[in-house]
Amino acid sequence: MSESRGAKPGPEPADRVVIGITFGNSNSSIAFTVDDKAEVIANEDGDRQIPTVLSYVDGDEYYGAQAKAFLVRNPSNSIAYFREFLGKDRGANNGVFNSFKSIDPTYCHAAAHPQDNAGNVFFSVKDKDAEGEASSVSVSEAATRYLRRLVTSASDYLGKKVTSAVITVPTNFSDKQREALIKAANDADLEVLQLISDPVAAMLAYDARPEAVVEDKIVVVADLGGTRSDVAVVASRGGMYTVLATAHDYEFAGVQLDQVLMDHFAKEFIKKHTTDPRSNAKSLAKLRQEAEATKKALSLGTNAQFSIESLAEGFDFSSTINRLRYEMVGRKVFEGFNRLVEGVVKKAELDVLDIDEVIMCGGTSHTPRIANNLRNIFPESTKILAPATNVSAINPSEAQARGAALQASLIQEYEANDIEQSTHPAVTTVKHISNAIGVVTINPDGEEVFTPIMQAETAAPARRTVHIAAPKDGGDVLIKVVEGGTHIKVTKPEPKAKEPVNGDKGSDADSDFDSEEEEEEEKREKIWKLGKQLAEAAIKGVKKGGKVEVTINVLADLGVTVTAREVGGKGGVRGNLAA
Ligand code: ATP
């Protein structure tokens, strides 16, 4: 995954004021770093998750939560869910006017509709005055106007003009989309120091915490947003990140959970008033906003209110829902998130047992059911970093903006041209070893034991050293360096004789429940499977209680050098292997 930065000459490094930005389809955030700690900035409305919406009323421009509120009364002059269209044209339309192939305008139905101008996407809004002619605002112009508002909010907060930013983007953002984003930012007078990928931004936020131990690990980053969910499996090896697999999904995200609640309450309303509030655009918009608020309340509490004044045909509506009911009516959507995450782990050709951490970010990751479901899918040893499952989890809505701000502060002193060569944590495109490399020694019971020295997916070049204890009384130590793969050993539980149920058959539901209760889970464990032998060395006459040091050096072309010597002793053995 390459990273890119703005081409426009920016300010001198010493004159920069930098921030981190996440620019989502639903919400955006701005963050800055003070004393090596990143903080998300609240805008003038007090919001840290700032809706990515612009709205024009009588020639005034509103943005964020105020603009989002106007989606009920002023939808046709409001621009929402447009980030996704940056750098995309209308696509081939088979001669059908306004038929978009490369963009999905679904979410814009409740706002200004994207239109086609010679292959470019634009919105028609009355941005000068309510009576006047509508203007054509291109997607790029909308992004520039919105980013300008974000930068102004950040500048007001910091008391100085923000000049530069690191912006996060999804891993599947194309070069064209990156260029379009950089151009939109430059037009808003913002220098783009670097675009970093969303999952890496979240990992940076975690790895920068004072308590973080930078260790080799495999992490799933589940970025669950409003209109899309992006899941990535990332190997972190010696501070280098390698993306192993990704998935991008538009079927399971926050709006589908809003829909579940909208349908639930619409049905209740129909029962009372025999009219469907979803059939009228304004009622639908009210329903949508209240459903989202109720959904968020259910992440915090176990009960939530749902009330709307004059929902449809002049009828007010008020109801409540508890979390259990919400989880029941939304079951299919919740299961979708499980499948999404499991699918990416499989795509990376890994098992859930291989995953050390699941970082949950994006607003939808606040949902307790989603985090709890993942808790059940992964083994105990996997940390599920979400508010519902881990007290030290970073606020999922803030992790990526914080990561971007940290990266911005790390690279701000570099000349623009040097940033591309920056050695700071980055997603790598370099080669990485596909199998672990380790040593096989004989334990006191005479069994072969594999100790991994370098994990699979370590980016080359890399060097690791281990010390191996010699036999108690010293003597000759035989070191075998081999490649190791893992496989999952499944131990089925001993079948138990079933006890008769005393004639009480119970209902179907009951018996299902019983059998689940009784069934012991099979045991799954990760076992090393030895592969190709790379080197063998005998270190003669190691002294009593001595140790042998083995160093593995993987070169950039994946050639391997192995060195073995007695710690504190003279000489040693060295061998080279071609890539
Ligand atoms: P996308 O680009 O996918 O549209 P985004 O990155 O712009 O999303 P996020 O802020 O990450 O936006 O996610 C927005 C979604 O998160 C919305 O559906 C919102 O309702 C949901 N959300 C925010 N806070 C909570 C919460 N506390 N509980 C449940 N859902 C929440």
Side-chain angles (χ1 to χ4, degrees):
M1 190 73 33
S2 71
E3 308 201 347
S4 37
R5 43 163 293 280
K8 188 184 158 183
E12 288 299 312
D15 300 332
R16 283 189 183 125
V17 176
V18 304
I19 56 170
I21 297 180
T22 56
F23 179 31
N25 290 298
S26 307
N27 294 300
S28 300
S29 288
I30 39 185
F32 78 114
T33 305
V34 57
D35 298 335
D36 294 335
K37 217 175 147 255
E39 273 181 37
V40 175
I41 296 172
N43 73 353
E44 51 281 15
D45 298 326
D47 293 323
R48 290 186 168 78
Q49 280 72 60
I50 305 168
T52 308
V53 188
L54 289 167
S55 187
Y56 296 92
V57 183
D58 296 332
D60 289 328
E61 182 184 81
Y62 294 84
Y63 100 114
Q66 294 191 31
K68 188 172 178 179
F70 278 122
L71 287 174
V72 174
R73 279 193 287 128
N74 185 34
S76 58
N77 290 314
S78 304
I79 306 176
Y81 300 109
F82 57 92
R83 198 288 314 272
E84 199 72 14
F85 305 156
L86 260 182
K88 288 191 179 171
D89 54 24
R90 176 212 57 202
N93 72 350
N94 301 330
V96 185
F97 183 71
N98 262 357
S99 149
F100 297 102
K101 272 279 170 72
S102 62
I103 69 166
D104 175 5
T106 314
Y107 300 115
C108 299
H109 281 165
H113 293 194
Q115 299 183 39
D116 163 32
N117 181 0
N120 291 316
V121 185
F122 77 96
F123 301 92
S124 184
V125 288
K126 290 183 176 170
D127 58 347
K128 307 264 171 358
D129 70 79
E131 308 308 321
E133 286 276 298
S135 315
S136 294
V137 178
S138 67
V139 167
S140 175
E141 172 63 17
T144 296
R145 290 184 189 184
Y146 181 79
L147 288 169
R148 192 177 284 131
R149 298 299 299 266
L150 280 186
V151 169
T152 306
S153 295
S155 302
D156 288 350
Y157 181 90
L158 296 172
K160 46 194 171 184
K161 190 180 173 323
V162 168
T163 61
S164 320
V166 166
I167 308 180
T168 71
V169 292
T171 54
N172 65 342
F173 232 45
S174 68
D175 287 344
K176 243 176 131 184
Q177 288 174 292
R178 287 163 180 265
E179 278 163 29
L181 175 55
I182 290 170
K183 180 184 180 308
N186 287 169
D187 290 348
D189 202 19
L190 180 70
E191 178 197 27
V192 178
L193 291 173
Q194 201 176 29
L195 299 180
I196 61 170
S197 73
D198 285 328
V200 166
M203 290 180 71
L204 286 175
Y206 272 96
D207 282 347
R209 300 201 298 182
E211 68 271 29
V213 187
V214 177
E215 55 189 357
D216 288 356
K217 58 190 172 187
I218 295 193
V219 180
V220 168
V221 183
D223 177 3
L224 313 178
T227 57
R228 54 184 286 170
S229 289
D230 299 275
V231 187
V233 181
V234 185
S236 170
R237 302 282 185 240
M240 296 284 266
Y241 301 134
T242 309
V243 176
L244 304 180
T246 58
H248 311 281
D249 187 278
Y250 295 83
E251 269 175 63
F252 299 101
V255 288
Q256 280 78 18
L257 291 171
D258 298 340
Q259 191 65 45
V260 160
L261 289 171
M262 284 162 72
D263 293 341
H264 173 77
F265 289 113
K267 277 182 205 150
E268 223 179 286
F269 188 84
I270 295 169
K271 258 192 213 151
K272 278 192 191 149
H273 304 292
T274 60
T275 181
D276 189 344
R278 292 167 298 186
S279 55
N280 163 306
K282 195 165 180 179
S283 307
L284 186 68
K286 285 184 179 179
L287 202 58
R288 181 174 292 122
Q289 299 214 337
E290 186 64 7
E292 189 183 6
T294 302
K295 174 187 75 174
K296 289 185 186 177
L298 285 168
S299 291
L300 273 181
T302 47
N303 271 294
Q305 279 280 336
F306 184 96
S307 35
I308 302 174
E309 255 180 55
S310 184
L311 173 54
E313 296 184 4
F315 293 117
D316 295 345
F317 180 70
S318 187
S319 185
T320 57
I321 185 165
N322 64 30
R323 197 188 277 171
L324 217 63
R325 179 107 190 107
Y326 166 52
E327 291 176 351
M328 236 157 71
V329 289
R331 212 189 71 217
K332 285 218 166 79
V333 184
F334 289 122
E335 285 170 358
F337 289 106
N338 296 352
R339 282 199 301 276
L340 189 61
V341 173
E342 286 175 308
V344 193
V345 174
K346 267 212 188 98
K347 203 166 158 190
E349 295 180 7
L350 294 172
D351 186 272
V352 286
L353 288 170
D354 294 312
I355 309 298
D356 300 294
E357 284 175 6
V358 179
I359 292 180
M360 295 190 64
C361 55
T364 299
S365 288
H366 284 278
T367 314
R369 182 75 272 149
I370 302 176
N372 289 329
N373 283 353
L374 295 185
R375 178 64 289 161
N376 291 335
I377 290 174
F378 286 89
E380 285 271 310
S381 53
T382 308
K383 276 192 217 156
I384 309 287
L385 294 161
T389 45
N390 191 304
V391 283
S392 64
I394 295 178
N395 179 343
S397 296
E398 297 194 351
Q400 289 162 340
R402 280 164 63 168
L406 289 161
Q407 179 73 355
S409 76
L410 278 175
I411 62 176
Q412 65 175 329
E413 74 249 31
Y414 288 78
E415 291 291 340
N417 286 335
D418 294 337
I419 291 177
E420 254 161 325
Q421 282 102 50
S422 146
T423 52
H424 286 288
V427 179
T428 60
T429 49
V430 296
K431 290 184 179 169
H432 50 262
I433 59 170
S434 45
N435 289 311
I437 301 178
V439 285
V440 174
T441 44
I442 309 289
N443 74 5
D445 299 334
E447 293 163 342
E448 286 194 327
V449 185
F450 178 75
T451 312
I453 300 180
M454 203 176 279
Q455 296 286 353
E457 312 304 345
T458 298
R463 182 192 175 92
R464 300 277 193 282
T465 299
V466 284
H467 286 172
I468 292 161
K472 252 196 348 252
D473 299 326
D476 296 349
V477 179
L478 183 70
I479 305 281
K480 271 199 253 174
V481 178
V482 297
E483 285 188 340
T486 52
H487 84 122
I488 307 297
K489 184 179 156 198
V490 181
T491 319
K492 296 240 183 261
E494 292 280 311
K496 270 196 218 157
K498 284 231 163 167
E499 285 179 24
V501 197
N502 272 346
D504 174 14
K505 291 207 174 80
S507 72
D508 272 2
D510 279 356
S511 52
D512 271 1
F513 184 69
D514 283 347
S515 64
E516 248 173 53
E517 279 274 283
E518 275 174 17
E519 198 174 300
E520 261 187 55
E521 282 201 17
E522 56 188 25
K523 192 167 150 219
R524 303 177 78 250
E525 39 189 341
K526 213 163 88 172
I527 304 283
W528 285 106
K529 205 165 127 192
L530 300 189
K532 199 168 77 184
Q533 179 164 323
L534 300 176
E536 195 170 28
I539 309 292
K540 301 259 184 214
V542 176
K543 61 178 185 294
K544 207 174 159 182
K547 282 197 169 129
V548 173
E549 180 185 88
V550 182
T551 300
I552 291 181
N553 203 352
V554 175
L555 311 175
D557 67 354
L558 299 185
V560 180
T561 311
V562 180
T563 324
R565 64 179 189 94
E566 183 178 354
V567 175
K570 283 204 184 108
V573 186
R574 181 188 166 96
N576 293 322
L577 279 162

